């Protein structure tokens, strides 16, 4: 579905987004995804609640979340990221200890560390961001739930960002599912939305006709912002390769062959 608010490119300085592949000249666009994620995050933070943003990879979940969280004070964000896949509760406890910058030596056993976290979390209006939540097992979700449940003086807002596996795990447990304030599914752009959004994401697409954009989307991108970023990356190289200033069928097909 296309938003009633037409997509718009953001003016420089409004936000410093982190673009996939760091494509020069890329612009942040106020798509349906970004607006919906912003609404979900605002609601979650205001209510000090737990929410889930989920969907297939490459559709802009993490990008939109990070863009929306630019308005949150950095020292209130507890962004849980791990060097290895499939973290366990021990990894979460230790990462929270470091993110909270707790003094002293970290306890070597679970219970004393859990008590330190319980004492620290209610002190400030923290926002816990659990990215790649499809990697979490049920025990990880239970740990976050217990910390949230027991921080009654001032609960942290909790955002789970992940694939459908995260949704399935949370929904399969009534005690977890009942605590979710919102579930926001991020979907691929429709062909109609793609034609509105992509010309705003980079100057090289502003003069591309709808037939060419549809050709690229059908053949490769399929409504994925990450795949469109990849095509843009190679299209810029294609412009140099063919010594031209305009993306035409030849440049587009060359770029698609590199993807």
């Amino acid at each position: 579905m296309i938003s009633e608010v037409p997509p718009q490119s953001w003016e420089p300085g409004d936000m410093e987004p982190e673009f996939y592949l760091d494509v020069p000249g890329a612009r942040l666009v106020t798509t349906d995804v970004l607006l919906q994620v912003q609404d979900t995050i605002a609601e979650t933070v205001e209510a000090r609640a737990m929410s889930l943003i989920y969907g297939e990879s490459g559709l802009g979940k993490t990008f939109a979340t990070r863009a929306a969280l630019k308005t949150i004070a950095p020292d209130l964000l507890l962004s849980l990221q791990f060097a290895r896949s499939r973290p366990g509760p021990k990894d979460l406890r230790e990462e929270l200890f470091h993110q909270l910058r707790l003094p002293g030596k970290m306890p070597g056993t679970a219970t004393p560390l859990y008590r330190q976290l319980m004492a620290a979390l209610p002190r400030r209006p923290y926002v816990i961001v659990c990215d790649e939540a499809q990697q979490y097992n049920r025990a990880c979700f239970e740990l976050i739930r217990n910390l949230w449940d027991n921080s009654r003086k001032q609960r942290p807002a909790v955002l789970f960002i992940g694939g459908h596996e995260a949704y399935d795990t949370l929904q399969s447990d009534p005690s977890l599912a009942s605590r979710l304030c919102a579930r926001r599914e991020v979907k691929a752009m429709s062909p109609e939305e793609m034609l509105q959004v992509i010309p705003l994401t980079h100057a090289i697409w502003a003069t591309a006709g709808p037939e060419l954009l549809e050709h690229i989307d059908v053949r490769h991108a399929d409504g994925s912002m990450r795949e469109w970023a990849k095509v843009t990356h190679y299209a810029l190289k294609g412009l140099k390769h063919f010594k031209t200033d305009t993306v035409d069928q030849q440049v587009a097909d060359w770029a698609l062959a590199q993807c």
Side-chain angles (χ1 to χ4, degrees), residues 65-129:
T65 300
R66 289 178 178 174
L69 287 171
K70 292 288 185 179
T71 60
I72 305 295
D75 58 347
L76 295 179
L77 290 176
L78 306 177
S79 182
L80 306 188
Q81 297 179 335
F82 305 95
R84 70 182 185 90
S85 61
R86 300 295 175 184
K90 180 175 182 291
D91 300 296
L92 268 68
R93 286 191 296 267
E94 292 178 354
E95 183 63 16
L96 280 169
F97 179 90
H98 293 302
Q99 291 278 331
L100 287 163
R101 299 179 180 85
L102 296 182
K105 184 179 179 180
M106 182 169 59
T109 54
T111 300
L113 178 51
Y114 180 84
R115 288 173 178 164
Q116 283 198 19
L117 298 177
M118 281 303 310
L121 281 172
R123 292 174 185 168
R124 305 187 68 192
Y126 289 110
V127 179
I128 301 176
V129 182

Side-chain angles (χ1 to χ4, degrees), residues 154-182:
Q154 182 165 244
R155 283 173 168 158
V158 178
L159 291 166
F160 295 113
I161 319 296
H164 286 279
E165 186 178 343
Y167 175 87
D168 292 340
T169 302
L170 286 165
Q171 285 297 110
S172 67
D173 187 325
S175 66
L176 292 169
S178 65
R179 284 165 173 79
L180 288 178
C181 173

Side-chain angles (χ1 to χ4, degrees), residues 29 100 190 219 222:
V29 179
L100 287 163
S190 68
R219 182 171 164 185
D222 197 24

Side-chain angles (χ1 to χ4, degrees), residues 2-214:
I2 300 175
S3 172
E4 294 180 358
V5 179
Q8 299 176 353
S9 59
W10 288 46
E11 293 298 324
D14 283 350
M15 198 171 288
E16 299 293 338
E18 299 174 0
F19 289 98
Y20 177 64
L21 295 179
D22 195 24
V23 177
R27 296 189 292 248
L28 178 62
V29 179
T30 55
T31 62
D32 265 358
V33 169
L34 182 57
L35 293 172
Q36 291 169 4
V37 168
Q38 283 181 325
D39 288 345
T40 299
I41 289 175
E43 178 183 0
T44 303
V45 171
E46 182 180 1
R48 314 309 303 169
M50 294 198 301
S51 292
L52 169 66
I53 299 169
Y54 71 100
E56 299 296 333
S57 62
L59 301 184
K61 300 184 302 297
T62 299
F63 182 95
T65 300
R66 289 178 178 174
L69 287 171
K70 292 288 185 179
T71 60
I72 305 295
D75 58 347
L76 295 179
L77 290 176
L78 306 177
S79 182
L80 306 188
Q81 297 179 335
F82 305 95
R84 70 182 185 90
S85 61
R86 300 295 175 184
K90 180 175 182 291
D91 300 296
L92 268 68
R93 286 191 296 267
E94 292 178 354
E95 183 63 16
L96 280 169
F97 179 90
H98 293 302
Q99 291 278 331
L100 287 163
R101 299 179 180 85
L102 296 182
K105 184 179 179 180
M106 182 169 59
T109 54
T111 300
L113 178 51
Y114 180 84
R115 288 173 178 164
Q116 283 198 19
L117 298 177
M118 281 303 310
L121 281 172
R123 292 174 185 168
R124 305 187 68 192
Y126 289 110
V127 179
I128 301 176
V129 182
C130 303
D131 202 2
E132 301 295 339
Q134 73 275 4
Q135 302 283 347
Y136 287 18
N137 58 29
R138 191 180 299 262
C140 290
F141 288 117
E142 284 288 350
L143 172 63
I144 298 296
R145 179 186 68 81
N146 285 329
L147 288 170
W148 183 83
D149 274 349
N150 294 316
S151 300
R152 293 188 178 89
K153 292 182 180 179
Q154 182 165 244
R155 283 173 168 158
V158 178
L159 291 166
F160 295 113
I161 319 296
H164 286 279
E165 186 178 343
Y167 175 87
D168 292 340
T169 302
L170 286 165
Q171 285 297 110
S172 67
D173 187 325
S175 66
L176 292 169
S178 65
R179 284 165 173 79
L180 288 178
C181 173
R183 300 159 180 81
R184 175 67 66 188
E185 182 177 8
V186 175
K187 299 180 180 180
M189 291 182 291
S190 68
E192 294 79 13
E193 187 177 12
M194 179 277 297
L195 290 176
Q196 289 189 12
V197 170
I198 295 305
L200 296 173
T201 62
H202 201 284
I204 65 171
W205 304 121
T207 57
E211 296 83 4
L212 183 59
L213 296 177
E214 289 170 349

